Amino acid sequence: MLRYLARWWMVAVPLLALLALALSWGSELPFVLAVILAVLLAGAVLAAVHHAEVIAHRVGEPFGSLVLAVAVTVIEVALIVSLMISGGEHSASLARDTVFAAVMITCNGIVGLSLLSGTLRRRVAVFNAEGTGGALATVATLSTLSLALPTFTTSAKGPAFSPAQLGFAAVVSLLLYGLFVLTQTVRHRDYFLPVTTEGTAATTEEHAPRPSARATMISLGLLLVALVAVVGLAKVESPVIELAVSSAGLPQAVVGVVIALLVLLPETIAAVRAARRDQIQISLNLALGSAMASIGLTIPAIAVASIWLKGPLLLGLGATHLVLLGLTFIVTTLTVVPGRATLLQSGVHLVLFAAFLFLAISP
């Protein structure tokens, strides 16, 4: 019964969200209607990711990973661009805040929750250090190039890239992400498969039934509907979100945190479920893969969008966030290198995640 309701929900929500978009476009939203549209927006995000996963399972790797990553990136970029257009100069740092929040959520929040679920069940969480280490190195490189270097470059005023520097960062991010996808899905796929509690490669791997061609086409249509609804509702809701943040007296960076939490919610749920099945490697793949896609695909997309956006594009992090970013990669490296983690490592990551959330609200 629950499975039937879940399937019905994933079909109904994109259609309801699109209908709500058509009825609310161009009108001022009262509070109650704004809340309803926000719920539909969140539901459309979850539905879009679900249908992208169905398509990804059907087409297989490496195209499946690209389908899911592109779908999530479209959602993230749509939310960022919509809020940047409506926010003007006040939202010049929104892309930076969202991408940084995605890195903190994935490397500390999702990793911490996954290790907590795994260690509570088996005391020691085991994973492949070779594949996870490569993924972490890629995330660290992308983060440094896109978020740390703009703080120290001198070609442009403020913590921003010059057009040439931004173009270089966008191209390099896209190439590095593509290289990782090739490594993960083709050349060294075994580095990213689950391992046993003894640390050896698992001999068996569970697979869900492959979706039929009809189910895949339905999911493709619903994915397009959901993406249109997300982009449109983000545009409609953007003034309400900005007003709510300013009325609460919160920093603008909180908007980026909300966007990242919303976009990464499905990956968080999937990672924790995998950890409960003793598949910590899959949890780490989801966490670091999401961080990589958020940088490797979002930064190039924002770079292209900046051609039409007015005002500066601030990407460089401040001193507090640079400290958090550096500490995160040091701690994550120490977690990954042994290939085994305990409850202590999960606690350290979750404390870092809590520190990030607290400092986002009270900088």
Side-chain angles (χ1 to χ4, degrees), residues 92-319:
S93 63
L94 181 60
R96 175 197 67 192
D97 297 335
T98 304
V99 173
F100 175 67
V103 174
M104 292 293 104
I105 292 169
T106 52
C107 293
N108 290 318
I110 299 180
V111 169
L113 287 174
S114 299
L115 294 180
L116 178 63
S117 299
T119 54
L120 287 177
R121 181 180 177 87
R122 294 288 185 183
R123 298 180 65 88
V124 177
V126 182
F127 47 89
N128 193 323
E130 292 177 302
T132 308
L136 176 61
T138 308
V139 173
T141 301
L142 289 172
S143 301
T144 302
L145 289 175
S146 301
L147 301 177
L149 282 183
T151 304
F152 304 101
T153 55
T154 58
S155 297
K157 184 179 179 180
F161 276 143
S162 66
Q165 291 171 338
L166 181 60
F168 173 79
V171 172
V172 169
S173 297
L174 196 59
L175 291 176
L176 195 54
Y177 177 74
L179 179 60
F180 175 80
V181 170
L182 176 65
T183 301
Q184 182 187 37
T185 58
V186 180
R187 295 185 66 86
H188 298 286
R189 184 171 179 268
D190 55 313
Y191 287 2
F192 300 89
L193 297 179
V195 294
T196 64
T197 55
E198 290 77 20
T200 58
T203 56
T204 59
E205 185 180 356
E206 296 181 1
H207 292 278
R210 190 185 184 198
S212 64
R214 180 175 179 272
T216 304
M217 293 305 297
I218 292 175
S219 286
L220 177 60
L222 291 172
L223 172 62
L224 296 176
V225 171
L227 291 178
V228 171
V230 167
V231 174
L233 288 178
K235 175 64 176 176
V236 172
E237 285 279 292
S238 56
V240 180
I241 296 175
E242 296 282 355
L243 179 62
V245 170
S246 60
S247 300
L250 297 175
Q252 281 295 121
V254 173
V255 178
V257 177
V258 172
I259 293 174
L261 286 171
L262 178 64
V263 172
L264 293 171
L265 179 60
E267 280 82 356
T268 304
I269 296 173
V272 173
R273 285 177 178 173
R276 289 177 179 174
R277 298 193 301 267
D278 295 329
Q279 296 177 326
I280 301 297
Q281 184 63 54
I282 294 179
S283 299
L284 297 180
N285 289 347
L286 286 168
L288 297 177
S290 298
M292 210 175 304
S294 180
I295 307 171
L297 297 179
T298 300
I299 293 298
I302 294 297
V304 174
S306 66
I307 299 174
W308 297 279
L309 292 175
K310 296 181 180 180
L313 178 61
L314 304 181
L315 291 177
L317 295 172

